[in-house]
Coordinates of all heavy atoms in Angstrom, one line a residue:
M869 N -21.2 -14.2 -25.9 CA -22.2 -14.3 -24.8 C -22.5 -12.8 -24.3 O -21.6 -12.1 -24.1 CB -21.7 -15.1 -23.7 CG -22.7 -15.3 -22.6 SD -22.4 -16.8 -21.7 CE -21.5 -16.5 -20.3
R870 N -23.7 -12.5 -24.1 CA -24.1 -11.2 -23.6 C -23.9 -11.0 -22.1 O -24.2 -11.9 -21.4 CB -25.6 -10.9 -23.9 CG -25.7 -9.9 -25.1 CD -27.1 -9.6 -25.3 NE -27.5 -8.4 -24.6 CZ -28.8 -8.1 -24.3 NH1 -29.8 -8.8 -24.7 NH2 -29.1 -7.0 -23.7
R871 N -23.3 -9.9 -21.7 CA -23.1 -9.7 -20.3 C -24.3 -9.1 -19.7 O -25.0 -8.3 -20.3 CB -21.9 -8.7 -20.0 CG -20.6 -9.2 -20.6 CD -19.5 -8.3 -20.3 NE -19.3 -8.3 -18.8 CZ -18.4 -7.4 -18.3 NH1 -17.8 -6.5 -19.0 NH2 -18.3 -7.5 -16.9
Q872 N -24.6 -9.6 -18.5 CA -25.8 -9.0 -17.8 C -25.5 -7.7 -17.1 O -24.4 -7.5 -16.5 CB -26.2 -10.0 -16.7 CG -27.1 -11.1 -17.2 CD -27.7 -11.9 -16.0 OE1 -27.1 -12.0 -15.0 NE2 -28.9 -12.3 -16.2
A873 N -26.4 -6.7 -17.3 CA -26.2 -5.5 -16.6 C -26.5 -5.6 -15.1 O -27.4 -6.3 -14.8 CB -27.1 -4.4 -17.2
H874 N -25.7 -5.0 -14.2 CA -25.9 -5.1 -12.8 C -26.8 -4.0 -12.4 O -26.6 -2.8 -12.8 CB -24.6 -5.1 -12.0 CG -23.8 -6.3 -12.2 ND1 -24.0 -7.5 -11.6 CD2 -22.7 -6.5 -13.0 CE1 -23.2 -8.4 -12.0 NE2 -22.3 -7.8 -12.9
A875 N -27.7 -4.3 -11.5 CA -28.6 -3.2 -10.9 C -27.7 -2.3 -10.0 O -26.8 -2.9 -9.4 CB -29.7 -3.8 -10.2
P876 N -28.0 -1.1 -9.8 CA -27.2 -0.2 -8.9 C -27.4 -0.8 -7.5 O -28.5 -1.3 -7.1 CB -27.9 1.2 -9.0 CG -28.9 1.1 -10.1 CD -29.0 -0.4 -10.5
F877 N -26.3 -0.6 -6.6 CA -26.4 -1.1 -5.3 C -27.4 -0.4 -4.4 O -27.4 0.9 -4.4 CB -25.0 -1.0 -4.6 CG -25.0 -1.5 -3.2 CD1 -25.2 -2.8 -2.9 CD2 -24.8 -0.5 -2.2 CE1 -25.2 -3.2 -1.5 CE2 -24.8 -0.9 -0.9 CZ -25.0 -2.3 -0.5
D878 N -28.2 -1.1 -3.7 CA -29.2 -0.5 -2.9 C -28.9 -0.9 -1.4 O -29.2 -2.0 -1.0 CB -30.6 -0.9 -3.3 CG -31.7 -0.3 -2.3 OD1 -31.3 0.5 -1.4 OD2 -32.9 -0.7 -2.5
P879 N -28.4 0.1 -0.6 CA -28.1 -0.3 0.8 C -29.2 -0.9 1.6 O -29.1 -1.6 2.6 CB -27.6 1.0 1.4 CG -27.3 1.9 0.3 CD -28.1 1.5 -0.9
A880 N -30.5 -0.5 1.2 CA -31.6 -1.0 1.9 C -31.8 -2.5 1.8 O -32.5 -3.1 2.6 CB -32.9 -0.3 1.4
T881 N -31.1 -3.1 0.9 CA -31.2 -4.6 0.7 C -30.3 -5.3 1.6 O -30.3 -6.6 1.6 CB -30.9 -4.9 -0.8 OG1 -29.6 -4.5 -1.1 CG2 -31.9 -4.3 -1.8
V882 N -29.4 -4.6 2.3 CA -28.5 -5.3 3.2 C -29.2 -5.8 4.5 O -29.8 -4.9 5.1 CB -27.3 -4.4 3.6 CG1 -26.3 -5.1 4.5 CG2 -26.5 -4.0 2.3
P883 N -29.2 -7.0 4.9 CA -29.8 -7.5 6.1 C -29.3 -6.8 7.3 O -28.1 -6.4 7.4 CB -29.5 -9.0 6.1 CG -29.1 -9.3 4.8 CD -28.5 -8.1 4.1
D884 N -30.2 -6.6 8.3 CA -29.8 -5.8 9.5 C -28.8 -6.5 10.4 O -28.1 -5.9 11.2 CB -31.1 -5.6 10.4 CG -32.0 -4.6 9.7 OD1 -31.5 -3.8 8.9 OD2 -33.2 -4.5 10.1
D885 N -28.7 -7.8 10.3 CA -27.8 -8.6 11.2 C -26.4 -8.7 10.7 O -25.6 -9.5 11.2 CB -28.5 -9.9 11.5 CG -28.7 -10.8 10.3 OD1 -28.6 -10.2 9.2 OD2 -29.0 -11.9 10.4
L886 N -26.1 -8.0 9.6 CA -24.7 -8.1 9.1 C -23.9 -7.0 9.8 O -24.4 -6.0 10.2 CB -24.7 -7.9 7.6 CG -25.1 -9.0 6.7 CD1 -24.9 -8.6 5.3 CD2 -24.2 -10.2 7.0
C887 N -22.5 -7.2 9.8 CA -21.7 -6.1 10.3 C -21.8 -4.9 9.4 O -22.1 -5.1 8.2 CB -20.2 -6.6 10.3 SG -19.9 -7.9 11.4
P888 N -21.5 -3.7 9.8 CA -21.6 -2.6 8.9 C -20.6 -2.8 7.8 O -19.5 -3.3 8.0 CB -21.1 -1.4 9.8 CG -21.2 -1.9 11.2 CD -21.1 -3.4 11.2
I889 N -21.0 -2.4 6.6 CA -20.1 -2.5 5.5 C -20.0 -1.1 4.8 O -20.9 -0.3 4.9 CB -20.6 -3.5 4.4 CG1 -22.0 -3.2 3.9 CG2 -20.5 -4.9 5.0 CD1 -22.4 -4.0 2.8
A890 N -18.9 -0.9 4.1 CA -18.8 0.4 3.4 C -19.6 0.3 2.1 O -19.6 -0.6 1.3 CB -17.3 0.6 3.0
T891 N -20.4 1.3 1.9 CA -21.2 1.4 0.7 C -20.8 2.6 -0.2 O -21.3 2.7 -1.3 CB -22.7 1.6 1.1 OG1 -22.9 2.7 1.9 CG2 -23.3 0.3 1.8
E892 N -19.9 3.4 0.3 CA -19.3 4.5 -0.5 C -17.8 4.5 -0.4 O -17.3 4.1 0.6 CB -19.9 5.8 0.0 CG -21.3 6.0 -0.2 CD -21.8 7.3 0.4 OE1 -20.9 8.2 0.7 OE2 -23.0 7.5 0.5
L893 N -17.2 4.9 -1.5 CA -15.7 5.0 -1.4 C -15.3 6.1 -0.5 O -15.9 7.2 -0.6 CB -15.2 5.2 -2.8 CG -15.2 4.0 -3.8 CD1 -14.7 4.4 -5.1 CD2 -14.3 2.9 -3.2
S894 N -14.3 5.9 0.3 CA -13.8 7.0 1.2 C -12.8 7.8 0.4 O -12.0 7.3 -0.4 CB -13.1 6.4 2.4 OG -12.3 7.4 3.0
P895 N -12.9 9.1 0.5 CA -11.9 10.0 -0.2 C -10.5 9.9 0.5 O -9.5 10.3 -0.1 CB -12.5 11.4 -0.1 CG -13.4 11.3 1.1 CD -13.9 9.9 1.2
L896 N -10.4 9.3 1.7 CA -9.1 9.2 2.4 C -8.3 8.2 1.7 O -8.7 7.1 1.3 CB -9.3 8.8 3.8 CG -9.7 9.9 4.8 CD1 -9.9 9.3 6.2 CD2 -8.7 11.0 4.8
R897 N -7.0 8.5 1.6 CA -6.0 7.5 1.1 C -5.1 7.2 2.3 O -4.9 8.0 3.2 CB -5.3 8.0 -0.1 CG -6.2 8.6 -1.2 CD -5.5 8.8 -2.5 NE -5.5 7.5 -3.2 CZ -4.8 7.3 -4.3 NH1 -4.2 8.3 -4.9 NH2 -4.8 6.1 -4.9
P898 N -4.4 6.1 2.2 CA -3.5 5.7 3.4 C -2.5 6.8 3.7 O -2.1 7.0 4.8 CB -2.8 4.4 2.9 CG -3.8 3.8 1.9 CD -4.5 5.0 1.2
G899 N -2.0 7.5 2.7 CA -1.1 8.6 2.9 C -1.6 9.7 3.8 O -0.9 10.5 4.4
D900 N -3.0 9.8 3.9 CA -3.6 10.8 4.8 C -3.6 10.4 6.2 O -3.8 11.3 7.1 CB -5.1 11.0 4.3 CG -5.2 11.5 2.9 OD1 -4.3 12.2 2.4 OD2 -6.2 11.1 2.2
W901 N -3.5 9.1 6.6 CA -3.6 8.8 8.0 C -2.4 8.0 8.5 O -2.3 7.7 9.7 CB -4.9 8.0 8.3 CG -5.2 6.9 7.3 CD1 -6.0 6.9 6.3 CD2 -4.6 5.5 7.3 NE1 -6.1 5.7 5.7 CE2 -5.2 4.8 6.3 CE3 -3.6 4.9 8.1 CZ2 -4.8 3.5 6.0 CZ3 -3.3 3.6 7.9 CH2 -3.9 2.9 6.8
R902 N -1.5 7.6 7.6 CA -0.3 6.8 8.0 C 0.5 7.5 9.1 O 0.7 8.7 9.0 CB 0.5 6.6 6.7 CG 1.8 5.8 6.9 CD 2.5 5.8 5.5 NE 2.8 7.2 5.1 CZ 2.6 7.6 3.9 NH1 2.1 6.9 2.9 NH2 2.9 8.9 3.6
S903 N 1.0 6.8 10.1 CA 1.9 7.4 11.1 C 3.4 7.2 10.9 O 4.2 7.9 11.4 CB 1.5 6.9 12.5 OG 1.6 5.5 12.6
L904 N 3.7 6.1 10.1 CA 5.1 5.8 9.8 C 5.3 5.8 8.3 O 4.4 5.4 7.6 CB 5.5 4.5 10.4 CG 5.5 4.4 11.9 CD1 5.8 2.9 12.3 CD2 6.6 5.3 12.5
R905 N 6.4 6.2 7.9 CA 6.7 6.2 6.4 C 8.0 5.5 6.1 O 9.0 5.7 6.8 CB 6.8 7.7 6.0 CG 7.5 7.9 4.7 CD 7.8 9.4 4.4 NE 6.6 10.2 4.5 CZ 6.4 11.3 3.7 NH1 7.3 11.6 2.8 NH2 5.3 12.0 3.7
P906 N 8.0 4.6 5.1 CA 9.3 4.0 4.8 C 10.2 4.9 3.9 O 9.7 5.5 3.0 CB 8.8 2.8 3.9 CG 7.5 3.2 3.4 CD 6.9 4.2 4.3
I907 N 11.4 4.9 4.3 CA 12.4 5.6 3.5 C 13.5 4.6 3.0 O 14.0 3.8 3.8 CB 13.2 6.6 4.4 CG1 12.2 7.6 5.1 CG2 14.2 7.4 3.7 CD1 11.6 8.7 4.3
V908 N 13.7 4.7 1.7 CA 14.6 3.7 1.1 C 16.0 4.3 1.0 O 16.1 5.5 0.4 CB 14.1 3.3 -0.3 CG1 15.1 2.4 -1.0 CG2 12.8 2.6 -0.2
D909 N 17.0 3.6 1.4 CA 18.4 4.1 1.2 C 18.8 3.5 -0.1 O 19.1 2.3 -0.3 CB 19.3 3.4 2.3 CG 20.7 3.9 2.2 OD1 21.2 4.2 1.1 OD2 21.5 3.8 3.2
R910 N 18.9 4.4 -1.1 CA 19.2 4.0 -2.5 C 20.5 3.4 -2.7 O 20.8 2.6 -3.6 CB 19.0 5.3 -3.4 CG 17.6 5.8 -3.4 CD 17.5 7.1 -4.2 NE 16.2 7.6 -4.1 CZ 15.8 8.7 -4.7 NH1 16.6 9.4 -5.4 NH2 14.5 9.2 -4.5
E911 N 21.5 3.7 -1.8 CA 22.8 3.1 -1.9 C 22.8 1.7 -1.5 O 23.6 0.9 -2.0 CB 23.8 3.9 -1.0 CG 24.0 5.4 -1.3 CD 24.6 5.5 -2.7 OE1 25.5 4.8 -3.0 OE2 24.1 6.4 -3.5
R912 N 21.9 1.3 -0.6 CA 21.8 -0.1 -0.1 C 21.0 -0.9 -0.9 O 21.1 -2.2 -0.9 CB 21.3 -0.1 1.3 CG 22.3 0.4 2.4 CD 21.7 0.2 3.7 NE 22.7 0.4 4.8 CZ 22.8 -0.3 5.9 NH1 22.0 -1.2 6.2 NH2 23.8 0.0 6.7
C913 N 20.0 -0.4 -1.6 CA 19.0 -1.2 -2.4 C 19.7 -1.9 -3.5 O 20.4 -1.2 -4.3 CB 17.9 -0.3 -2.9 SG 16.7 -1.2 -3.9
V914 N 19.5 -3.2 -3.6 CA 20.1 -3.9 -4.7 C 19.0 -4.4 -5.7 O 19.2 -5.3 -6.6 CB 20.9 -5.2 -4.2 CG1 22.0 -4.7 -3.3 CG2 20.0 -6.1 -3.4
K915 N 17.8 -3.9 -5.6 CA 16.7 -4.2 -6.5 C 16.3 -5.7 -6.5 O 16.1 -6.3 -7.5 CB 17.0 -3.8 -7.9 CG 17.0 -2.3 -8.1 CD 17.1 -1.9 -9.6 CE 15.8 -2.1 -10.3 NZ 15.9 -1.6 -11.7
C916 N 16.4 -6.3 -5.3 CA 16.0 -7.7 -5.2 C 14.5 -8.0 -5.2 O 14.1 -9.1 -5.5 CB 16.6 -8.3 -3.9 SG 15.8 -7.6 -2.4
A917 N 13.7 -6.9 -5.0 CA 12.3 -7.0 -5.1 C 11.6 -7.7 -3.9 O 10.4 -8.0 -4.0 CB 11.8 -7.6 -6.4
V918 N 12.3 -8.0 -2.9 CA 11.7 -8.7 -1.7 C 10.6 -7.8 -1.1 O 9.5 -8.2 -0.8 CB 12.7 -9.0 -0.7 CG1 12.1 -9.5 0.6 CG2 13.6 -10.2 -1.2
C919 N 10.9 -6.5 -1.1 CA 9.8 -5.5 -0.5 C 8.6 -5.6 -1.4 O 7.5 -5.5 -0.9 CB 10.4 -4.1 -0.4 SG 11.2 -3.5 -2.0
W920 N 8.8 -5.6 -2.7 CA 7.7 -5.6 -3.7 C 6.8 -6.9 -3.4 O 5.6 -6.8 -3.5 CB 8.3 -5.6 -5.1 CG 7.3 -5.7 -6.2 CD1 6.6 -4.8 -6.8 CD2 6.9 -7.0 -6.8 NE1 5.7 -5.3 -7.7 CE2 6.0 -6.7 -7.8 CE3 7.3 -8.3 -6.7 CZ2 5.4 -7.6 -8.6 CZ3 6.8 -9.3 -7.5 CH2 5.8 -8.9 -8.4
L921 N 7.5 -8.0 -3.2 CA 6.8 -9.2 -3.0 C 6.0 -9.2 -1.7 O 4.9 -9.7 -1.7 CB 7.9 -10.4 -2.9 CG 7.4 -11.8 -2.9 CD1 6.8 -12.1 -4.2 CD2 8.6 -12.7 -2.6
Y922 N 6.5 -8.6 -0.6 CA 5.8 -8.7 0.7 C 4.8 -7.6 0.9 O 4.0 -7.7 1.8 CB 6.8 -8.7 1.8 CG 7.4 -10.1 2.1 CD1 8.6 -10.5 1.4 CD2 6.8 -10.9 3.0 CE1 9.1 -11.8 1.7 CE2 7.3 -12.2 3.2 CZ 8.4 -12.6 2.5 OH 8.9 -13.9 2.8
C923 N 4.9 -6.5 0.2 CA 4.0 -5.3 0.5 C 2.6 -5.8 0.3 O 2.2 -6.2 -0.8 CB 4.4 -4.2 -0.4 SG 3.2 -2.8 -0.2
P924 N 1.8 -5.7 1.4 CA 0.4 -6.2 1.3 C -0.5 -5.3 0.4 O -1.6 -5.8 0.0 CB -0.1 -6.1 2.8 CG 0.8 -5.1 3.4 CD 2.1 -5.2 2.7
V925 N -0.1 -4.1 0.1 CA -1.0 -3.3 -0.8 C -0.3 -3.1 -2.2 O -0.8 -2.3 -3.0 CB -1.3 -1.9 -0.1 CG1 -2.2 -2.1 1.1 CG2 -0.1 -1.1 0.2
Q926 N 0.8 -3.8 -2.4 CA 1.4 -3.7 -3.7 C 1.7 -2.3 -4.2 O 1.4 -1.9 -5.3 CB 0.6 -4.4 -4.8 CG 0.6 -5.9 -4.6 CD 2.0 -6.5 -5.0 OE1 2.3 -6.5 -6.2 NE2 2.7 -6.9 -4.0
C927 N 2.3 -1.5 -3.2 CA 2.6 -0.1 -3.6 C 4.1 0.1 -3.9 O 4.5 1.2 -4.2 CB 2.1 0.9 -2.6 SG 3.0 0.8 -1.0
I928 N 4.9 -0.9 -3.9 CA 6.3 -0.7 -4.2 C 6.5 -0.7 -5.7 O 5.9 -1.5 -6.4 CB 7.2 -1.9 -3.6 CG1 6.9 -2.1 -2.1 CG2 8.6 -1.7 -4.0 CD1 7.9 -1.3 -1.2
V929 N 7.2 0.3 -6.2 CA 7.5 0.4 -7.6 C 9.0 0.5 -7.9 O 9.8 0.8 -7.0 CB 6.8 1.7 -8.2 CG1 5.3 1.5 -8.1 CG2 7.2 2.9 -7.4
E930 N 9.3 0.1 -9.1 CA 10.7 0.1 -9.6 C 11.1 1.5 -10.1 O 10.3 2.1 -10.8 CB 10.8 -0.9 -10.7 CG 12.3 -1.1 -11.1 CD 12.4 -2.2 -12.2 OE1 11.4 -2.7 -12.6 OE2 13.5 -2.4 -12.6
R931 N 12.2 2.0 -9.6 CA 12.7 3.3 -10.1 C 14.1 3.1 -10.5 O 14.9 2.6 -9.7 CB 12.7 4.4 -9.0 CG 11.4 4.5 -8.2 CD 10.6 5.7 -8.9 NE 9.5 6.0 -8.1 CZ 8.3 6.2 -8.5 NH1 8.1 6.0 -9.8 NH2 7.3 6.5 -7.8
G932 N 14.5 3.4 -11.6 CA 15.9 3.4 -12.0 C 16.7 2.2 -11.4 O 16.5 1.1 -11.7
A933 N 17.5 2.6 -10.4 CA 18.4 1.6 -9.7 C 17.9 1.2 -8.4 O 18.7 0.6 -7.6 CB 19.8 2.2 -9.6
W934 N 16.7 1.5 -8.0 CA 16.2 1.1 -6.7 C 14.7 0.8 -6.8 O 14.0 1.2 -7.8 CB 16.5 2.1 -5.6 CG 15.8 3.4 -5.9 CD1 14.6 3.8 -5.4 CD2 16.3 4.5 -6.6 NE1 14.3 5.1 -5.8 CE2 15.3 5.5 -6.6 CE3 17.5 4.7 -7.4 CZ2 15.5 6.8 -7.2 CZ3 17.6 6.0 -8.1 CH2 16.6 6.9 -8.0
F935 N 14.1 0.3 -5.7 CA 12.7 0.2 -5.5 C 12.2 1.1 -4.4 O 13.0 1.4 -3.5 CB 12.3 -1.3 -5.1 CG 12.2 -2.2 -6.3 CD1 13.3 -2.4 -7.1 CD2 11.1 -3.0 -6.4 CE1 13.2 -3.3 -8.2 CE2 11.0 -3.9 -7.5 CZ 12.0 -4.1 -8.3
E936 N 11.0 1.6 -4.5 CA 10.5 2.5 -3.4 C 9.0 2.5 -3.4 O 8.4 2.1 -4.4 CB 11.1 3.9 -3.5 CG 10.5 4.7 -4.7 CD 11.1 6.1 -4.8 OE1 12.1 6.4 -4.1 OE2 10.5 6.9 -5.5
P937 N 8.4 2.8 -2.2 CA 7.0 2.8 -2.1 C 6.3 4.0 -2.8 O 6.9 5.1 -2.8 CB 6.7 2.8 -0.6 CG 8.0 2.9 0.1 CD 9.1 3.1 -1.0
R938 N 5.1 3.8 -3.3 CA 4.3 4.9 -3.7 C 3.6 5.4 -2.5 O 2.8 4.7 -1.9 CB 3.3 4.5 -4.8 CG 3.5 5.0 -6.1 CD 2.3 4.8 -7.0 NE 1.5 3.7 -6.7 CZ 1.5 2.5 -7.3 NH1 2.4 2.3 -8.2 NH2 0.7 1.5 -6.9
L939 N 4.0 6.6 -2.0 CA 3.5 7.0 -0.7 C 2.0 7.3 -0.6 O 1.5 7.3 0.5 CB 4.3 8.2 -0.2 CG 5.8 7.8 0.1 CD1 6.6 9.1 0.4 CD2 5.9 6.9 1.3
E940 N 1.3 7.6 -1.7 CA -0.1 7.9 -1.7 C -0.9 6.6 -1.2 O -1.9 6.7 -0.5 CB -0.7 8.2 -3.0 CG 0.1 9.2 -3.9 CD 1.2 8.5 -4.7 OE1 0.8 7.8 -5.6 OE2 2.3 8.8 -4.4
T941 N -0.4 5.4 -1.5 CA -1.1 4.2 -1.1 C -0.4 3.4 0.0 O -1.0 2.5 0.5 CB -1.3 3.3 -2.4 OG1 -0.1 3.2 -3.1 CG2 -2.4 3.9 -3.2
C942 N 0.8 3.7 0.3 CA 1.5 3.0 1.4 C 0.8 3.3 2.7 O 0.6 4.4 3.1 CB 3.0 3.5 1.5 SG 3.8 3.1 3.0
K943 N 0.5 2.2 3.5 CA -0.1 2.4 4.8 C 0.8 2.4 6.0 O 0.4 2.5 7.1 CB -1.2 1.4 5.0 CG -0.7 -0.1 5.0 CD -1.9 -1.0 5.1 CE -1.4 -2.5 5.2 NZ -2.5 -3.4 5.4
G944 N 2.1 2.3 5.7 CA 3.1 2.4 6.8 C 3.2 1.3 7.7 O 3.6 1.4 8.9
C945 N 2.9 0.1 7.2 CA 2.9 -1.1 8.1 C 4.3 -1.6 8.5 O 4.5 -2.2 9.5 CB 2.1 -2.3 7.4 SG 2.9 -2.9 6.0
G946 N 5.3 -1.2 7.7 CA 6.6 -1.6 8.0 C 7.1 -3.0 7.6 O 8.2 -3.4 7.9
I947 N 6.2 -3.7 6.9 CA 6.6 -5.1 6.5 C 7.8 -5.0 5.6 O 8.7 -5.8 5.7 CB 5.4 -5.8 5.9 CG1 4.3 -6.1 6.9 CG2 5.8 -7.1 5.2 CD1 3.1 -6.6 6.4
C948 N 7.8 -4.1 4.7 CA 8.9 -4.0 3.7 C 10.3 -3.8 4.5 O 11.3 -4.4 4.1 CB 8.7 -2.8 2.7 SG 8.4 -1.3 3.5
A949 N 10.2 -3.0 5.5 CA 11.5 -2.7 6.3 C 11.9 -3.9 7.0 O 13.1 -4.2 7.1 CB 11.2 -1.5 7.2
Q950 N 10.9 -4.7 7.5 CA 11.3 -6.0 8.2 C 11.8 -7.0 7.3 O 12.7 -7.8 7.6 CB 10.0 -6.5 8.9 CG 9.5 -5.8 10.1 CD 10.5 -6.1 11.3 OE1 11.0 -7.2 11.5 NE2 10.8 -5.0 12.0
E951 N 11.3 -7.0 6.1 CA 11.7 -8.1 5.1 C 12.9 -7.8 4.3 O 13.5 -8.7 3.7 CB 10.5 -8.5 4.2 CG 9.3 -9.0 5.0 CD 9.6 -10.3 5.7 OE1 10.5 -11.1 5.3 OE2 9.0 -10.6 6.7
C952 N 13.2 -6.5 4.1 CA 14.4 -6.2 3.2 C 15.6 -6.8 3.7 O 16.1 -6.5 4.8 CB 14.6 -4.7 3.2 SG 16.1 -4.2 2.3
P953 N 16.3 -7.7 3.0 CA 17.4 -8.4 3.4 C 18.7 -7.6 3.5 O 19.7 -7.9 4.1 CB 17.6 -9.6 2.4 CG 16.9 -9.1 1.2 CD 15.8 -8.2 1.6
H954 N 18.6 -6.4 2.9 CA 19.8 -5.5 2.9 C 19.6 -4.3 3.9 O 20.4 -3.3 3.8 CB 20.0 -5.0 1.5 CG 20.4 -6.2 0.6 ND1 21.7 -6.6 0.5 CD2 19.7 -7.0 -0.1 CE1 21.7 -7.7 -0.3 NE2 20.5 -7.9 -0.7
R955 N 18.5 -4.3 4.7 CA 18.3 -3.2 5.6 C 18.3 -1.9 4.9 O 18.9 -0.9 5.4 CB 19.3 -3.3 6.8 CG 19.2 -4.5 7.7 CD 18.0 -4.4 8.6 NE 17.8 -5.6 9.4 CZ 16.7 -6.4 9.1 NH1 15.9 -6.1 8.1 NH2 16.5 -7.5 9.8
A956 N 17.7 -1.8 3.8 CA 17.7 -0.6 3.0 C 16.5 0.3 3.3 O 16.4 1.4 2.7 CB 17.8 -0.9 1.5
I957 N 15.6 -0.2 4.1 CA 14.4 0.6 4.4 C 14.3 0.8 5.9 O 14.4 -0.1 6.7 CB 13.1 -0.2 3.9 CG1 13.2 -0.6 2.4 CG2 11.9 0.7 4.1 CD1 12.0 -1.4 1.9
R958 N 14.0 2.1 6.2 CA 13.8 2.4 7.6 C 12.5 3.1 7.7 O 12.1 3.8 6.8 CB 14.9 3.2 8.3 CG 15.1 4.5 7.7 CD 16.4 5.2 8.1 NE 16.6 6.4 7.3 CZ 16.2 7.6 7.7 NH1 15.6 7.8 8.9 NH2 16.4 8.6 6.9
M959 N 11.8 2.9 8.8 CA 10.5 3.6 9.1 C 10.7 4.8 9.9 O 11.4 4.7 10.9 CB 9.5 2.6 9.7 CG 9.3 1.3 9.0 SD 8.6 1.5 7.4 CE 7.0 2.1 7.7
V960 N 10.2 5.9 9.5 CA 10.3 7.2 10.3 C 8.9 7.7 10.5 O 7.9 7.5 9.8 CB 11.1 8.2 9.5 CG1 12.5 7.8 9.3 CG2 10.5 8.6 8.2
E961 N 8.8 8.4 11.6 CA 7.5 9.0 12.0 C 7.1 10.1 11.0 O 8.0 10.9 10.7 CB 7.5 9.5 13.4 CG 7.4 8.4 14.5 CD 7.2 9.0 15.9 OE1 6.5 10.0 16.0 OE2 7.8 8.4 16.8
E962 N 5.9 10.1 10.6 CA 5.4 11.1 9.6 C 5.7 12.5 10.2 O 6.0 13.4 9.5 CB 3.9 11.0 9.3 CG 3.6 9.9 8.3 CD 4.1 10.2 6.9 OE1 4.4 11.4 6.7 OE2 4.2 9.3 6.1
A963 N 5.5 12.7 11.5 CA 5.6 14.0 12.1 C 7.0 14.6 11.9 O 7.2 15.8 12.0 CB 5.2 14.0 13.6
T964 N 8.0 13.7 11.8 CA 9.4 14.2 11.7 C 9.9 14.4 10.3 O 11.0 14.8 10.0 CB 10.3 13.2 12.4 OG1 10.3 11.9 11.6 CG2 10.0 12.9 13.8
V965 N 9.0 14.0 9.3 CA 9.4 14.1 7.9 C 9.1 15.5 7.3 O 8.1 16.0 7.6 CB 8.8 13.1 7.0 CG1 9.4 13.1 5.6 CG2 8.9 11.7 7.6
Ligands
SF4_1581 S1 13.9 -5.5 -0.4 FE1 15.4 -3.9 0.1 S2 17.2 -4.3 -1.3 FE2 15.4 -5.4 -2.1 S3 14.5 -4.1 -3.6 FE3 13.4 -3.7 -1.6 S4 14.5 -2.0 -0.7 FE4 15.8 -2.8 -2.3
SF4_1582 S1 5.2 0.2 4.8 FE1 3.8 -1.5 4.3 S2 2.4 -0.6 2.8 FE2 4.1 0.7 2.9 S3 5.5 0.0 1.3 FE3 6.1 -1.0 3.2 S4 5.0 -3.0 3.1 FE4 4.0 -1.6 1.6

């Protein structure tokens, strides 16, 4: 089956009564504006993957003997720290790191 080519997006076609929507990708990444950063205690981490399961942006990655967030895309919400059953993640202020 042949795929249809999509026409380029034209912002002028968006009705006036809709909420504003993003029409361009922002160059900002969460690591540019996050105020808290998760720090993993590698000694406590047992690789249970609970943090990986709960992270809303799926930025937790497996490293050797532990899991840790990819900081470029982590938004600092702290859910991983709340959910880690081994208290292996703590949130610290970016300003102090
Ligand atoms: S939830 Fe905690 S113990 Fe489990 S993999 Fe993540 S950091 Fe490690
Ligand atoms: S702080 Fe939030 S976004 Fe960052 S790794 Fe934890 S759950 Fe994911």
